[in-house]
Amino acid sequence: MYEHLMMEVKGQTAIVSINNPKSLNALNSATLAELNTCLADMEQSKDIRVVIVTGVGAKAFVAGADISEMVNATAAEGRDMALLAKEAFRRLERMPQATIAAVNGYALGGGCELAMSCDIRVAAENAVFGQPECGLGILPGFGGTQRLTRLVGKGRAKELIFTCDKIDAQEAYRIGLVNKVVPQAELLDFCLMMADKMLSKGSYAIALAKMCIETGIDTDLNSGLNMEATNFGLSFATNDKKEGMTAFLEKRKATLTDF
Ligand code: CAA
């Protein structure tokens, strides 16, 4: 169905793999367009509640935007590519499903930017992160200047972007770029386990919490708190709230099904 992606569904978790192994899963426009379509379909789905994003092969998550496509691109084409990535990556942040990046190797440039668009990043021990764009005479264009700054702070973001230094998984963990580091052989199983943990919670509640976090970070504290209060109220009108609290009081495991 897709030329540049592989899709696998395990229960209520979808695994989307970038599949351009000859270029270490570099993101060309066709891949970005497929990713956008795939995520647009998935965000409407009631059957998929967690999405794992990874790269095919043992060497790379995504080694960046496709340099062979960009080398002769005009200014307008460069901007269009960035806007296409913006549309696809924004979906990861806005879709009701929780998203996990399973970073299985190089996550450079657009690859680091794709990982940063996911809700959570789990890195294999061999993962390498970096924003090498300034070394190519361009700047990060798939969200790096914005998302890296929000994740690790202005000083560290500027250092990584200006020096183009590559950092390993442990350093990425130390600076807060990734949530967890696990042995490479265990990466997917760990992410699936994390997904299962989320699936046992209220998916609708998680979707509301995600929306509050994503919208709240771009607003002032008071507006964010008001939005949280509204969504907190909304969650009181769900079956999950009744079941979750009743189960607690009856000392049994809750079965939460809203989404
Ligand atoms: N675009 C296109 N092709 C790429 C690529 C990329 N980003 N990264 C790797 N490839 C290709 C290589 O050209 C090579 O192709 P051939 O076999 O046809 O020669 C193949 O993938 C394997 O790569 P290497 O031989 O270079 O593998 P290596 O193990 O020696 O090095 C690497 C691995 C350090 C990741 C190196 O490939 C590399 O530095 N890649 C480029 C990383 C980069 O600069 N990324 C940022 C791109 S710009 C960007 O992403 C802009 C943005 O903000 C969106």
Side-chain angles (χ1 to χ4, degrees), residues 21-27 59-60 62-70 85 106 108-111 113 130-133 136 138-144 166:
K22 284 189 185 138
S23 59
L24 301 183
N25 300 325
L27 296 172
K59 189 170 170 183
V62 163
D66 192 325
I67 299 170
S68 62
E69 180 178 345
M70 291 186 296
Y106 287 112
L108 299 174
E113 292 166 309
Q131 296 289 161
E133 289 89 346
L136 296 166
I138 57 172
L139 63 148
F142 293 0
K166 294 185 182 68

PDB file of all heavy atoms in Angstrom, residues 21-27 59-60 62-70 85 106 108-111 113 130-133 136 138-144 166, ligand 1:
ATOM      1  N   PRO A  21      15.683   2.083   3.202  1.00  0.00           N
ATOM      2  CA  PRO A  21      16.941   1.612   3.779  1.00  0.00           C
ATOM      3  C   PRO A  21      18.188   1.995   2.972  1.00  0.00           C
ATOM      4  O   PRO A  21      19.245   2.178   3.550  1.00  0.00           O
ATOM      5  CB  PRO A  21      16.770   0.085   3.842  1.00  0.00           C
ATOM      6  CG  PRO A  21      15.597  -0.229   2.994  1.00  0.00           C
ATOM      7  CD  PRO A  21      14.744   0.979   2.916  1.00  0.00           C
ATOM      8  N   LYS A  22      18.035   2.171   1.654  1.00  0.00           N
ATOM      9  CA  LYS A  22      19.227   2.498   0.838  1.00  0.00           C
ATOM     10  C   LYS A  22      19.813   3.855   1.212  1.00  0.00           C
ATOM     11  O   LYS A  22      20.997   4.105   1.014  1.00  0.00           O
ATOM     12  CB  LYS A  22      18.871   2.482  -0.651  1.00  0.00           C
ATOM     13  CG  LYS A  22      18.747   1.075  -1.190  1.00  0.00           C
ATOM     14  CD  LYS A  22      18.613   1.061  -2.704  1.00  0.00           C
ATOM     15  CE  LYS A  22      18.374  -0.359  -3.176  1.00  0.00           C
ATOM     16  NZ  LYS A  22      17.356  -0.444  -4.220  1.00  0.00           N
ATOM     17  N   SER A  23      18.982   4.743   1.722  1.00  0.00           N
ATOM     18  CA  SER A  23      19.482   6.072   2.112  1.00  0.00           C
ATOM     19  C   SER A  23      19.388   6.242   3.633  1.00  0.00           C
ATOM     20  O   SER A  23      19.267   7.354   4.128  1.00  0.00           O
ATOM     21  CB  SER A  23      18.679   7.164   1.411  1.00  0.00           C
ATOM     22  OG  SER A  23      17.307   7.052   1.757  1.00  0.00           O
ATOM     23  N   LEU A  24      19.477   5.154   4.369  1.00  0.00           N
ATOM     24  CA  LEU A  24      19.342   5.176   5.846  1.00  0.00           C
ATOM     25  C   LEU A  24      18.037   5.872   6.253  1.00  0.00           C
ATOM     26  O   LEU A  24      18.017   6.674   7.183  1.00  0.00           O
ATOM     27  CB  LEU A  24      20.565   5.830   6.497  1.00  0.00           C
ATOM     28  CG  LEU A  24      21.925   5.172   6.213  1.00  0.00           C
ATOM     29  CD1 LEU A  24      23.037   5.874   6.982  1.00  0.00           C
ATOM     30  CD2 LEU A  24      21.908   3.688   6.570  1.00  0.00           C
ATOM     31  N   ASN A  25      16.985   5.543   5.503  1.00  0.00           N
ATOM     32  CA  ASN A  25      15.623   6.025   5.782  1.00  0.00           C
ATOM     33  C   ASN A  25      15.479   7.546   5.669  1.00  0.00           C
ATOM     34  O   ASN A  25      14.643   8.157   6.354  1.00  0.00           O
ATOM     35  CB  ASN A  25      15.135   5.541   7.157  1.00  0.00           C
ATOM     36  CG  ASN A  25      15.104   4.033   7.254  1.00  0.00           C
ATOM     37  OD1 ASN A  25      14.816   3.368   6.261  1.00  0.00           O
ATOM     38  ND2 ASN A  25      15.405   3.472   8.408  1.00  0.00           N
ATOM     39  N   ALA A  26      16.292   8.154   4.793  1.00  0.00           N
ATOM     40  CA  ALA A  26      16.176   9.603   4.582  1.00  0.00           C
ATOM     41  C   ALA A  26      14.754   9.950   4.133  1.00  0.00           C
ATOM     42  O   ALA A  26      14.094   9.176   3.434  1.00  0.00           O
ATOM     43  CB  ALA A  26      17.191  10.056   3.537  1.00  0.00           C
ATOM     44  N   LEU A  27      14.316  11.118   4.564  1.00  0.00           N
ATOM     45  CA  LEU A  27      12.948  11.556   4.258  1.00  0.00           C
ATOM     46  C   LEU A  27      12.938  12.383   2.978  1.00  0.00           C
ATOM     47  O   LEU A  27      13.427  13.507   2.963  1.00  0.00           O
ATOM     48  CB  LEU A  27      12.407  12.413   5.414  1.00  0.00           C
ATOM     49  CG  LEU A  27      12.243  11.724   6.773  1.00  0.00           C
ATOM     50  CD1 LEU A  27      11.887  12.754   7.844  1.00  0.00           C
ATOM     51  CD2 LEU A  27      11.181  10.625   6.709  1.00  0.00           C
ATOM     52  N   LYS A  59      20.363   0.108  11.579  1.00  0.00           N
ATOM     53  CA  LYS A  59      21.372   1.169  11.600  1.00  0.00           C
ATOM     54  C   LYS A  59      20.781   2.571  11.784  1.00  0.00           C
ATOM     55  O   LYS A  59      21.393   3.417  12.422  1.00  0.00           O
ATOM     56  CB  LYS A  59      22.154   1.105  10.280  1.00  0.00           C
ATOM     57  CG  LYS A  59      23.366   1.989  10.242  1.00  0.00           C
ATOM     58  CD  LYS A  59      24.225   1.689   9.020  1.00  0.00           C
ATOM     59  CE  LYS A  59      25.308   2.746   8.866  1.00  0.00           C
ATOM     60  NZ  LYS A  59      26.110   2.540   7.672  1.00  0.00           N
ATOM     61  N   ALA A  60      19.611   2.786  11.195  1.00  0.00           N
ATOM     62  CA  ALA A  60      19.086   4.158  11.210  1.00  0.00           C
ATOM     63  C   ALA A  60      17.609   4.206  11.563  1.00  0.00           C
ATOM     64  O   ALA A  60      16.817   3.381  11.095  1.00  0.00           O
ATOM     65  CB  ALA A  60      19.305   4.807   9.852  1.00  0.00           C
ATOM     66  N   VAL A  62      16.139   7.571  11.144  1.00  0.00           N
ATOM     67  CA  VAL A  62      16.063   8.383   9.929  1.00  0.00           C
ATOM     68  C   VAL A  62      17.322   9.255   9.913  1.00  0.00           C
ATOM     69  O   VAL A  62      17.578   9.983  10.874  1.00  0.00           O
ATOM     70  CB  VAL A  62      14.793   9.277   9.939  1.00  0.00           C
ATOM     71  CG1 VAL A  62      14.903  10.402   8.912  1.00  0.00           C
ATOM     72  CG2 VAL A  62      13.525   8.461   9.700  1.00  0.00           C
ATOM     73  N   ALA A  63      18.099   9.175   8.825  1.00  0.00           N
ATOM     74  CA  ALA A  63      19.368   9.934   8.767  1.00  0.00           C
ATOM     75  C   ALA A  63      19.178  11.352   8.252  1.00  0.00           C
ATOM     76  O   ALA A  63      20.144  12.000   7.869  1.00  0.00           O
ATOM     77  CB  ALA A  63      20.387   9.191   7.913  1.00  0.00           C
ATOM     78  N   GLY A  64      17.933  11.825   8.221  1.00  0.00           N
ATOM     79  CA  GLY A  64      17.698  13.225   7.852  1.00  0.00           C
ATOM     80  C   GLY A  64      16.801  13.359   6.657  1.00  0.00           C
ATOM     81  O   GLY A  64      16.313  12.367   6.114  1.00  0.00           O
ATOM     82  N   ALA A  65      16.593  14.606   6.262  1.00  0.00           N
ATOM     83  CA  ALA A  65      15.895  14.852   4.999  1.00  0.00           C
ATOM     84  C   ALA A  65      16.821  14.360   3.881  1.00  0.00           C
ATOM     85  O   ALA A  65      18.034  14.263   4.069  1.00  0.00           O
ATOM     86  CB  ALA A  65      15.613  16.338   4.846  1.00  0.00           C
ATOM     87  N   ASP A  66      16.214  14.053   2.735  1.00  0.00           N
ATOM     88  CA  ASP A  66      16.989  13.445   1.647  1.00  0.00           C
ATOM     89  C   ASP A  66      17.856  14.502   0.944  1.00  0.00           C
ATOM     90  O   ASP A  66      17.342  15.370   0.233  1.00  0.00           O
ATOM     91  CB  ASP A  66      16.017  12.784   0.651  1.00  0.00           C
ATOM     92  CG  ASP A  66      16.759  11.896  -0.332  1.00  0.00           C
ATOM     93  OD1 ASP A  66      17.904  12.241  -0.708  1.00  0.00           O
ATOM     94  OD2 ASP A  66      16.204  10.865  -0.723  1.00  0.00           O
ATOM     95  N   ILE A  67      19.163  14.390   1.169  1.00  0.00           N
ATOM     96  CA  ILE A  67      20.085  15.399   0.633  1.00  0.00           C
ATOM     97  C   ILE A  67      20.116  15.352  -0.892  1.00  0.00           C
ATOM     98  O   ILE A  67      20.239  16.375  -1.557  1.00  0.00           O
ATOM     99  CB  ILE A  67      21.498  15.202   1.241  1.00  0.00           C
ATOM    100  CG1 ILE A  67      21.425  15.380   2.777  1.00  0.00           C
ATOM    101  CG2 ILE A  67      22.505  16.183   0.650  1.00  0.00           C
ATOM    102  CD1 ILE A  67      22.690  14.978   3.530  1.00  0.00           C
ATOM    103  N   SER A  68      19.930  14.147  -1.459  1.00  0.00           N
ATOM    104  CA  SER A  68      19.980  14.061  -2.929  1.00  0.00           C
ATOM    105  C   SER A  68      18.759  14.758  -3.552  1.00  0.00           C
ATOM    106  O   SER A  68      18.824  15.233  -4.686  1.00  0.00           O
ATOM    107  CB  SER A  68      20.084  12.607  -3.398  1.00  0.00           C
ATOM    108  OG  SER A  68      18.949  11.899  -2.992  1.00  0.00           O
ATOM    109  N   GLU A  69      17.667  14.847  -2.833  1.00  0.00           N
ATOM    110  CA  GLU A  69      16.509  15.606  -3.347  1.00  0.00           C
ATOM    111  C   GLU A  69      16.717  17.108  -3.139  1.00  0.00           C
ATOM    112  O   GLU A  69      16.325  17.925  -3.972  1.00  0.00           O
ATOM    113  CB  GLU A  69      15.217  15.155  -2.645  1.00  0.00           C
ATOM    114  CG  GLU A  69      13.987  15.920  -3.138  1.00  0.00           C
ATOM    115  CD  GLU A  69      12.677  15.465  -2.497  1.00  0.00           C
ATOM    116  OE1 GLU A  69      12.628  14.390  -1.889  1.00  0.00           O
ATOM    117  OE2 GLU A  69      11.689  16.227  -2.609  1.00  0.00           O
ATOM    118  N   MET A  70      17.366  17.466  -2.012  1.00  0.00           N
ATOM    119  CA  MET A  70      17.479  18.895  -1.675  1.00  0.00           C
ATOM    120  C   MET A  70      18.587  19.608  -2.447  1.00  0.00           C
ATOM    121  O   MET A  70      18.553  20.829  -2.589  1.00  0.00           O
ATOM    122  CB  MET A  70      17.743  19.053  -0.171  1.00  0.00           C
ATOM    123  CG  MET A  70      16.562  18.665   0.702  1.00  0.00           C
ATOM    124  SD  MET A  70      16.843  19.033   2.437  1.00  0.00           S
ATOM    125  CE  MET A  70      18.196  17.956   2.823  1.00  0.00           C
ATOM    126  N   ALA A  85       6.610  18.598   5.823  1.00  0.00           N
ATOM    127  CA  ALA A  85       7.030  17.941   7.072  1.00  0.00           C
ATOM    128  C   ALA A  85       6.250  18.517   8.248  1.00  0.00           C
ATOM    129  O   ALA A  85       5.822  17.786   9.150  1.00  0.00           O
ATOM    130  CB  ALA A  85       8.522  18.137   7.295  1.00  0.00           C
ATOM    131  N   TYR A 106      20.672   6.026  13.804  1.00  0.00           N
ATOM    132  CA  TYR A 106      20.867   7.447  13.508  1.00  0.00           C
ATOM    133  C   TYR A 106      19.535   8.212  13.493  1.00  0.00           C
ATOM    134  O   TYR A 106      18.595   7.810  12.810  1.00  0.00           O
ATOM    135  CB  TYR A 106      21.533   7.619  12.134  1.00  0.00           C
ATOM    136  CG  TYR A 106      22.996   7.245  12.121  1.00  0.00           C
ATOM    137  CD1 TYR A 106      23.441   6.130  11.428  1.00  0.00           C
ATOM    138  CD2 TYR A 106      23.934   8.020  12.800  1.00  0.00           C
ATOM    139  CE1 TYR A 106      24.787   5.790  11.405  1.00  0.00           C
ATOM    140  CE2 TYR A 106      25.286   7.682  12.790  1.00  0.00           C
ATOM    141  CZ  TYR A 106      25.697   6.564  12.102  1.00  0.00           C
ATOM    142  OH  TYR A 106      27.033   6.234  12.090  1.00  0.00           O
ATOM    143  N   LEU A 108      19.248  11.881  12.747  1.00  0.00           N
ATOM    144  CA  LEU A 108      19.962  13.116  12.422  1.00  0.00           C
ATOM    145  C   LEU A 108      19.051  14.054  11.636  1.00  0.00           C
ATOM    146  O   LEU A 108      18.203  13.594  10.855  1.00  0.00           O
ATOM    147  CB  LEU A 108      21.207  12.790  11.594  1.00  0.00           C
ATOM    148  CG  LEU A 108      22.237  11.884  12.287  1.00  0.00           C
ATOM    149  CD1 LEU A 108      23.362  11.503  11.329  1.00  0.00           C
ATOM    150  CD2 LEU A 108      22.801  12.559  13.536  1.00  0.00           C
ATOM    151  N   GLY A 109      19.230  15.335  11.822  1.00  0.00           N
ATOM    152  CA  GLY A 109      18.463  16.314  11.060  1.00  0.00           C
ATOM    153  C   GLY A 109      16.972  16.022  11.162  1.00  0.00           C
ATOM    154  O   GLY A 109      16.399  15.938  12.252  1.00  0.00           O
ATOM    155  N   GLY A 110      16.349  15.801   9.993  1.00  0.00           N
ATOM    156  CA  GLY A 110      14.916  15.505   9.960  1.00  0.00           C
ATOM    157  C   GLY A 110      14.544  14.280  10.779  1.00  0.00           C
ATOM    158  O   GLY A 110      13.390  14.134  11.206  1.00  0.00           O
ATOM    159  N   GLY A 111      15.498  13.384  11.033  1.00  0.00           N
ATOM    160  CA  GLY A 111      15.225  12.195  11.860  1.00  0.00           C
ATOM    161  C   GLY A 111      15.083  12.569  13.318  1.00  0.00           C
ATOM    162  O   GLY A 111      14.174  12.098  14.013  1.00  0.00           O
ATOM    163  N   GLU A 113      14.243  15.459  14.236  1.00  0.00           N
ATOM    164  CA  GLU A 113      13.033  16.292  14.256  1.00  0.00           C
ATOM    165  C   GLU A 113      11.765  15.434  14.253  1.00  0.00           C
ATOM    166  O   GLU A 113      10.773  15.774  14.900  1.00  0.00           O
ATOM    167  CB  GLU A 113      13.069  17.260  13.062  1.00  0.00           C
ATOM    168  CG  GLU A 113      14.176  18.301  13.232  1.00  0.00           C
ATOM    169  CD  GLU A 113      14.500  19.072  11.959  1.00  0.00           C
ATOM    170  OE1 GLU A 113      14.723  18.431  10.906  1.00  0.00           O
ATOM    171  OE2 GLU A 113      14.524  20.309  12.003  1.00  0.00           O
ATOM    172  N   GLY A 130      21.471  14.288  16.364  1.00  0.00           N
ATOM    173  CA  GLY A 130      22.184  15.507  15.987  1.00  0.00           C
ATOM    174  C   GLY A 130      21.404  16.310  14.968  1.00  0.00           C
ATOM    175  O   GLY A 130      20.456  15.817  14.348  1.00  0.00           O
ATOM    176  N   GLN A 131      21.790  17.562  14.850  1.00  0.00           N
ATOM    177  CA  GLN A 131      21.185  18.457  13.848  1.00  0.00           C
ATOM    178  C   GLN A 131      22.339  18.975  12.978  1.00  0.00           C
ATOM    179  O   GLN A 131      22.888  20.042  13.228  1.00  0.00           O
ATOM    180  CB  GLN A 131      20.471  19.623  14.562  1.00  0.00           C
ATOM    181  CG  GLN A 131      19.298  19.220  15.427  1.00  0.00           C
ATOM    182  CD  GLN A 131      18.050  18.745  14.708  1.00  0.00           C
ATOM    183  OE1 GLN A 131      17.212  18.099  15.287  1.00  0.00           O
ATOM    184  NE2 GLN A 131      17.912  19.044  13.420  1.00  0.00           N
ATOM    185  N   PRO A 132      22.723  18.197  11.948  1.00  0.00           N
ATOM    186  CA  PRO A 132      23.914  18.553  11.155  1.00  0.00           C
ATOM    187  C   PRO A 132      23.662  19.602  10.077  1.00  0.00           C
ATOM    188  O   PRO A 132      24.551  19.877   9.265  1.00  0.00           O
ATOM    189  CB  PRO A 132      24.312  17.221  10.502  1.00  0.00           C
ATOM    190  CG  PRO A 132      23.208  16.266  10.759  1.00  0.00           C
ATOM    191  CD  PRO A 132      22.115  16.936  11.493  1.00  0.00           C
ATOM    192  N   GLU A 133      22.479  20.218  10.040  1.00  0.00           N
ATOM    193  CA  GLU A 133      22.101  21.063   8.897  1.00  0.00           C
ATOM    194  C   GLU A 133      23.067  22.213   8.633  1.00  0.00           C
ATOM    195  O   GLU A 133      23.380  22.518   7.484  1.00  0.00           O
ATOM    196  CB  GLU A 133      20.681  21.633   9.103  1.00  0.00           C
ATOM    197  CG  GLU A 133      19.571  20.607   8.969  1.00  0.00           C
ATOM    198  CD  GLU A 133      19.235  19.917  10.286  1.00  0.00           C
ATOM    199  OE1 GLU A 133      20.026  20.023  11.243  1.00  0.00           O
ATOM    200  OE2 GLU A 133      18.175  19.271  10.338  1.00  0.00           O
ATOM    201  N   LEU A 136      25.653  21.726   6.289  1.00  0.00           N
ATOM    202  CA  LEU A 136      25.258  21.600   4.879  1.00  0.00           C
ATOM    203  C   LEU A 136      24.862  22.963   4.304  1.00  0.00           C
ATOM    204  O   LEU A 136      24.358  23.053   3.183  1.00  0.00           O
ATOM    205  CB  LEU A 136      24.057  20.638   4.765  1.00  0.00           C
ATOM    206  CG  LEU A 136      24.280  19.174   5.180  1.00  0.00           C
ATOM    207  CD1 LEU A 136      22.941  18.455   5.340  1.00  0.00           C
ATOM    208  CD2 LEU A 136      25.157  18.448   4.165  1.00  0.00           C
ATOM    209  N   ILE A 138      22.469  24.843   5.487  1.00  0.00           N
ATOM    210  CA  ILE A 138      21.045  25.140   5.724  1.00  0.00           C
ATOM    211  C   ILE A 138      20.809  25.099   7.231  1.00  0.00           C
ATOM    212  O   ILE A 138      21.737  24.860   8.003  1.00  0.00           O
ATOM    213  CB  ILE A 138      20.096  24.137   5.002  1.00  0.00           C
ATOM    214  CG1 ILE A 138      20.407  22.691   5.441  1.00  0.00           C
ATOM    215  CG2 ILE A 138      20.208  24.286   3.489  1.00  0.00           C
ATOM    216  CD1 ILE A 138      19.394  21.661   4.941  1.00  0.00           C
ATOM    217  N   LEU A 139      19.579  25.354   7.649  1.00  0.00           N
ATOM    218  CA  LEU A 139      19.268  25.230   9.067  1.00  0.00           C
ATOM    219  C   LEU A 139      18.226  24.132   9.238  1.00  0.00           C
ATOM    220  O   LEU A 139      17.615  23.709   8.254  1.00  0.00           O
ATOM    221  CB  LEU A 139      18.757  26.564   9.634  1.00  0.00           C
ATOM    222  CG  LEU A 139      17.453  27.103   9.067  1.00  0.00           C
ATOM    223  CD1 LEU A 139      16.707  27.881  10.133  1.00  0.00           C
ATOM    224  CD2 LEU A 139      17.736  27.999   7.877  1.00  0.00           C
ATOM    225  N   PRO A 140      18.030  23.653  10.464  1.00  0.00           N
ATOM    226  CA  PRO A 140      16.983  22.654  10.669  1.00  0.00           C
ATOM    227  C   PRO A 140      15.657  23.202  10.145  1.00  0.00           C
ATOM    228  O   PRO A 140      15.307  24.351  10.449  1.00  0.00           O
ATOM    229  CB  PRO A 140      16.948  22.476  12.195  1.00  0.00           C
ATOM    230  CG  PRO A 140      18.311  22.889  12.650  1.00  0.00           C
ATOM    231  CD  PRO A 140      18.725  23.995  11.725  1.00  0.00           C
ATOM    232  N   GLY A 141      14.940  22.390   9.368  1.00  0.00           N
ATOM    233  CA  GLY A 141      13.735  22.908   8.723  1.00  0.00           C
ATOM    234  C   GLY A 141      12.489  22.103   9.010  1.00  0.00           C
ATOM    235  O   GLY A 141      11.396  22.448   8.568  1.00  0.00           O
ATOM    236  N   PHE A 142      12.641  20.989   9.747  1.00  0.00           N
ATOM    237  CA  PHE A 142      11.462  20.180  10.066  1.00  0.00           C
ATOM    238  C   PHE A 142      11.134  20.333  11.554  1.00  0.00           C
ATOM    239  O   PHE A 142      10.697  19.397  12.216  1.00  0.00           O
ATOM    240  CB  PHE A 142      11.685  18.696   9.730  1.00  0.00           C
ATOM    241  CG  PHE A 142      11.834  18.372   8.260  1.00  0.00           C
ATOM    242  CD1 PHE A 142      11.763  19.350   7.280  1.00  0.00           C
ATOM    243  CD2 PHE A 142      12.035  17.059   7.847  1.00  0.00           C
ATOM    244  CE1 PHE A 142      11.905  19.042   5.923  1.00  0.00           C
ATOM    245  CE2 PHE A 142      12.172  16.727   6.501  1.00  0.00           C
ATOM    246  CZ  PHE A 142      12.111  17.721   5.536  1.00  0.00           C
ATOM    247  N   GLY A 143      11.392  21.522  12.095  1.00  0.00           N
ATOM    248  CA  GLY A 143      10.972  21.813  13.475  1.00  0.00           C
ATOM    249  C   GLY A 143      12.097  21.858  14.493  1.00  0.00           C
ATOM    250  O   GLY A 143      11.855  22.115  15.673  1.00  0.00           O
ATOM    251  N   GLY A 144      13.336  21.623  14.057  1.00  0.00           N
ATOM    252  CA  GLY A 144      14.456  21.511  15.005  1.00  0.00           C
ATOM    253  C   GLY A 144      14.694  22.746  15.845  1.00  0.00           C
ATOM    254  O   GLY A 144      14.948  22.649  17.042  1.00  0.00           O
ATOM    255  N   LYS A 166      27.281  15.391  17.056  1.00  0.00           N
ATOM    256  CA  LYS A 166      26.405  14.224  17.213  1.00  0.00           C
ATOM    257  C   LYS A 166      26.519  13.756  18.659  1.00  0.00           C
ATOM    258  O   LYS A 166      27.623  13.745  19.214  1.00  0.00           O
ATOM    259  CB  LYS A 166      26.837  13.101  16.277  1.00  0.00           C
ATOM    260  CG  LYS A 166      26.673  13.424  14.801  1.00  0.00           C
ATOM    261  CD  LYS A 166      27.024  12.182  13.965  1.00  0.00           C
ATOM    262  CE  LYS A 166      26.927  12.439  12.485  1.00  0.00           C
ATOM    263  NZ  LYS A 166      27.934  13.359  11.953  1.00  0.00           N
TER     264      LYS A 166
HETATM  265  N1  CAA B   1      20.036  11.934   2.485  1.00  0.00           N
HETATM  266  C1  CAA B   1      20.306  11.164   1.418  1.00  0.00           C
HETATM  267  N2  CAA B   1      21.067  10.059   1.451  1.00  0.00           N
HETATM  268  C2  CAA B   1      21.581   9.720   2.647  1.00  0.00           C
HETATM  269  C3  CAA B   1      21.345  10.481   3.806  1.00  0.00           C
HETATM  270  C4  CAA B   1      20.526  11.632   3.703  1.00  0.00           C
HETATM  271  N3  CAA B   1      20.211  12.386   4.746  1.00  0.00           N
HETATM  272  N4  CAA B   1      22.018   9.893   4.833  1.00  0.00           N
HETATM  273  C5  CAA B   1      22.623   8.810   4.318  1.00  0.00           C
HETATM  274  N5  CAA B   1      22.372   8.707   2.999  1.00  0.00           N
HETATM  275  C6  CAA B   1      22.855   7.663   2.080  1.00  0.00           C
HETATM  276  C7  CAA B   1      24.316   7.855   1.742  1.00  0.00           C
HETATM  277  O1  CAA B   1      24.475   8.824   0.712  1.00  0.00           O
HETATM  278  C8  CAA B   1      24.689   6.462   1.312  1.00  0.00           C
HETATM  279  O2  CAA B   1      24.220   6.273  -0.003  1.00  0.00           O
HETATM  280  P1  CAA B   1      25.127   5.418  -1.063  1.00  0.00           P
HETATM  281  O3  CAA B   1      25.180   4.033  -0.479  1.00  0.00           O
HETATM  282  O4  CAA B   1      24.320   5.494  -2.316  1.00  0.00           O
HETATM  283  O5  CAA B   1      26.449   6.074  -1.120  1.00  0.00           O
HETATM  284  C9  CAA B   1      23.862   5.570   2.221  1.00  0.00           C
HETATM  285  O6  CAA B   1      22.801   6.397   2.724  1.00  0.00           O
HETATM  286  C10 CAA B   1      24.649   5.060   3.410  1.00  0.00           C
HETATM  287  O7  CAA B   1      25.224   6.176   4.063  1.00  0.00           O
HETATM  288  P2  CAA B   1      26.799   6.286   4.395  1.00  0.00           P
HETATM  289  O8  CAA B   1      27.611   5.498   3.421  1.00  0.00           O
HETATM  290  O9  CAA B   1      27.124   7.744   4.535  1.00  0.00           O
HETATM  291  O10 CAA B   1      26.832   5.538   5.800  1.00  0.00           O
HETATM  292  P3  CAA B   1      27.869   5.783   7.002  1.00  0.00           P
HETATM  293  O11 CAA B   1      27.636   4.663   7.948  1.00  0.00           O
HETATM  294  O12 CAA B   1      29.250   5.992   6.473  1.00  0.00           O
HETATM  295  O13 CAA B   1      27.381   7.169   7.674  1.00  0.00           O
HETATM  296  C11 CAA B   1      25.797   8.753   8.521  1.00  0.00           C
HETATM  297  C12 CAA B   1      26.131   7.266   8.300  1.00  0.00           C
HETATM  298  C13 CAA B   1      26.751   9.353   9.569  1.00  0.00           C
HETATM  299  C14 CAA B   1      24.355   8.823   9.034  1.00  0.00           C
HETATM  300  C15 CAA B   1      25.942   9.510   7.191  1.00  0.00           C
HETATM  301  O14 CAA B   1      25.223   8.813   6.186  1.00  0.00           O
HETATM  302  C16 CAA B   1      25.453  10.915   7.213  1.00  0.00           C
HETATM  303  O15 CAA B   1      26.119  11.784   7.737  1.00  0.00           O
HETATM  304  N6  CAA B   1      24.241  11.168   6.639  1.00  0.00           N
HETATM  305  C17 CAA B   1      23.722  12.503   6.503  1.00  0.00           C
HETATM  306  C18 CAA B   1      23.211  13.034   7.822  1.00  0.00           C
HETATM  307  C19 CAA B   1      22.672  14.437   7.664  1.00  0.00           C
HETATM  308  O16 CAA B   1      23.411  15.348   7.330  1.00  0.00           O
HETATM  309  N7  CAA B   1      21.367  14.625   7.939  1.00  0.00           N
HETATM  310  C20 CAA B   1      20.722  15.915   7.848  1.00  0.00           C
HETATM  311  C21 CAA B   1      20.148  16.089   6.487  1.00  0.00           C
HETATM  312  S1  CAA B   1      19.510  17.705   6.263  1.00  0.00           S
HETATM  313  C22 CAA B   1      18.063  17.743   7.078  1.00  0.00           C
HETATM  314  O17 CAA B   1      17.625  16.798   7.690  1.00  0.00           O
HETATM  315  C23 CAA B   1      17.319  19.052   6.982  1.00  0.00           C
HETATM  316  C24 CAA B   1      16.165  19.183   7.898  1.00  0.00           C
HETATM  317  O18 CAA B   1      16.194  19.859   8.914  1.00  0.00           O
HETATM  318  C25 CAA B   1      14.959  18.538   7.602  1.00  0.00           C
END
